[in-house]
Amino acid sequence: MRHSHDDSSTAAQDGPGTPAAPAPQPDGSYSVYPYQGLGSGRPAPAKRTPRTRAILVSGALAVVLGAAGLLLPAQYVVESPGPTFNTLGSAGDAEIIEIEGQRTYPTDGELDLTTVYVSGGPSTNISIFQAVGGWVDQDDVVYPTEFLYAPGTTSDEVDEENAAAMTSSQESAVAAALTQLDIGFTQELTVAAVVEGSPAEGVLQPGDTVVAVGETRIEGIDSLRAALNDGGGSAAQLTVRRDGTEVSESVTPRQSDSGAYQLGIELATSFEFPFDVSIGAGMEKVGGPSAGMMFALGIVDRLTPGALTDGRHFAGTGTIDAAGNVGPIGGIRQKLIGASDAGAEYFLAPADNCGEVVGHIPDGLDVVRVSTLDEAIQAVEKLAAGGSASDLPQCTP
């Protein structure tokens, strides 16, 4: 929370021919009368006309309304640069990334994930002072609350969604790192919900695990999409595991506007890894999916000989999926500022965020555009070896 204060003050001084400043009344207020004549030496009270009284009443009302407006909560959200966390280091007393059951190697330097402070939101309106402060501060961005949150959303729902997104991003980061290192693991797709009116309605059920399409074993979302598209819209014979038993169901997928064939289901992904990777200790108040890429980089560094950064200071952001694709995030401008304030030399930015990056790069910070985990690793390795950021993909106008 930002606090503003005003240290300025004014003092009236008597000058030649100027009457003395009025003395305060017992209640601390001042009574001021215009001087008229010279006779008794005491000021005669001014005669108040109806017009004068109307002006005074209007002025007092404006002051009261203005004060009320400043005290009332504002329906805005302020985004500010937040702290950074070195995924190779610790938060509190615990390492942010802990790996058990697999050999790890010493690391060096920093691979910072970046965050955004969010003030306001559902059930937590800010004051107009905070909103005005956000408009004035060039490091902040102010949004109407309804621009970021659907009507009726509660703060508890936002917290739950952010926590779930963080957990999902951590699992995807482990999967992406292991995919990059050719370390095997298993992946299952479970039906989270069936879309009303879709081809799967009445056939598939929430909780079904998709095992195969025809003779093709499903190992992830990419293999499911490929199997459905290869079918060209013909009925797909799905093997699903339901209540511990494999059953066969037939669903005719429907072609979307993009040309892909879909069943009309929402999927949740679960993984089984060959060793334990714990992420996020000491970061309980950080939520959302945007740390995925930096988590994956930290895991790769821990599982490979030699320090990936060679002691240099990197920061970045971006979602990630199990295949290592890096996706866009929110608050990129504030994250650039946060990285710069933390002393980062280089920033890895998702390619899809480049439109927001251009024109908002802090002095002294080099930004590299990345679309995959592999590109991010290559960029870090080249920069750590003394390469120039200008020789790597850039965000250009």
Side-chain angles (χ1 to χ4, degrees):
M1 180 182 295
R2 290 185 172 85
H3 299 278
S4 60
H5 62 278
D6 187 354
D7 290 330
S8 62
S9 61
T10 58
Q13 295 183 349
D14 297 331
T18 302
Q25 302 302 307
D27 63 357
S29 63
Y30 285 85
S31 296
V32 180
Y33 301 94
Y35 281 81
Q36 296 181 352
L38 300 172
S40 65
R42 292 189 59 178
K47 185 177 181 180
R48 292 181 178 175
T49 65
R51 176 181 175 82
T52 302
R53 285 193 293 271
I55 292 173
L56 290 174
V57 170
S58 298
L61 183 59
V63 170
V64 171
L65 291 176
L70 291 175
L71 295 175
L72 288 174
Q75 300 290 323
Y76 293 100
V77 174
V78 179
E79 292 186 350
S80 311
T84 62
F85 295 86
N86 179 18
T87 60
L88 302 178
S90 302
D93 297 329
E95 292 184 331
I96 291 178
I97 297 175
E98 295 184 341
I99 300 174
E100 296 182 2
Q102 182 77 358
R103 182 179 180 182
T104 59
Y105 300 88
T107 61
D108 196 5
E110 296 180 58
L111 290 170
D112 290 352
L113 65 86
T114 49
T115 66
V116 174
Y117 276 130
V118 178
S119 302
S123 308
T124 55
N125 292 334
I126 61 175
S127 72
I128 196 66
F129 287 110
Q130 290 173 280
V132 172
W135 281 315
V136 172
D137 194 329
Q138 295 183 352
D139 290 351
D140 296 349
V141 176
V142 182
Y143 298 102
T145 301
E146 63 270 17
F147 183 81
L148 298 180
Y149 304 100
T153 303
T154 66
S155 57
D156 287 341
E157 290 172 337
V158 173
D159 291 342
E160 290 174 2
E161 183 177 342
N162 284 337
M166 170 62 88
T167 299
S168 178
S169 74
Q170 293 169 352
E171 293 176 345
S172 295
V174 178
L178 269 57
T179 297
Q180 178 72 26
L181 299 174
D182 291 325
I183 298 175
F185 60 92
T186 60
Q187 179 179 183
E188 291 186 336
L189 296 179
T190 302
V191 178
V194 178
V195 178
E196 185 177 353
S198 71
E201 185 178 21
V203 182
L204 299 182
Q205 303 174 13
D208 287 350
T209 297
V210 182
V211 177
V213 175
E215 299 299 322
T216 303
R217 301 293 292 184
I218 300 304
E219 298 177 349
I221 187 65
D222 291 335
S223 61
L224 175 60
R225 288 170 178 163
L228 295 176
N229 290 334
D230 289 344
S234 60
Q237 299 301 315
L238 276 70
T239 301
V240 300
R241 187 165 59 251
R242 181 180 298 159
D243 298 327
T245 302
E246 290 191 359
V247 298
S248 180
E249 301 284 8
S250 179
V251 180
T252 302
R254 184 179 300 160
Q255 194 170 28
S256 68
D257 293 339
S258 65
Y261 287 94
Q262 299 177 341
L263 300 173
I265 56 178
E266 296 178 11
L267 292 166
T269 305
S270 60
F271 302 96
E272 185 174 339
F273 302 117
F275 49 86
D276 293 331
V277 181
S278 300
I279 306 177
M283 297 176 52
E284 289 76 13
K285 294 185 179 180
V286 180
S290 63
M293 179 184 70
M294 299 309 294
F295 283 143
L297 280 172
I299 296 167
V300 169
D301 199 1
R302 286 285 179 86
L303 292 175
T304 52
L308 184 64
T309 68
D310 195 29
R312 310 299 289 271
H313 192 164
F314 292 83
T317 186
T319 64
I320 202 161
D321 63 19
N325 297 305
V326 175
I329 50 80
I332 188 73
R333 291 171 56 182
Q334 285 68 50
K335 291 178 179 180
L336 288 166
I337 295 169
S340 178
D341 290 345
E345 304 169 77
Y346 307 105
F347 191 96
L348 305 174
D352 289 340
N353 282 119
C354 273
E356 302 169 82
V357 170
V358 174
H360 298 102
I361 302 175
D363 291 340
L365 185 67
D366 289 322
V367 176
V368 177
R369 184 188 77 233
V370 297
S371 299
T372 66
L373 176 59
D374 187 62
E375 290 179 2
I377 292 172
Q378 291 185 44
V380 172
E381 289 176 337
K382 290 178 180 178
L383 293 170
S388 172
S390 60
D391 295 330
L392 295 169
Q394 301 287 298
C395 287
T396 56

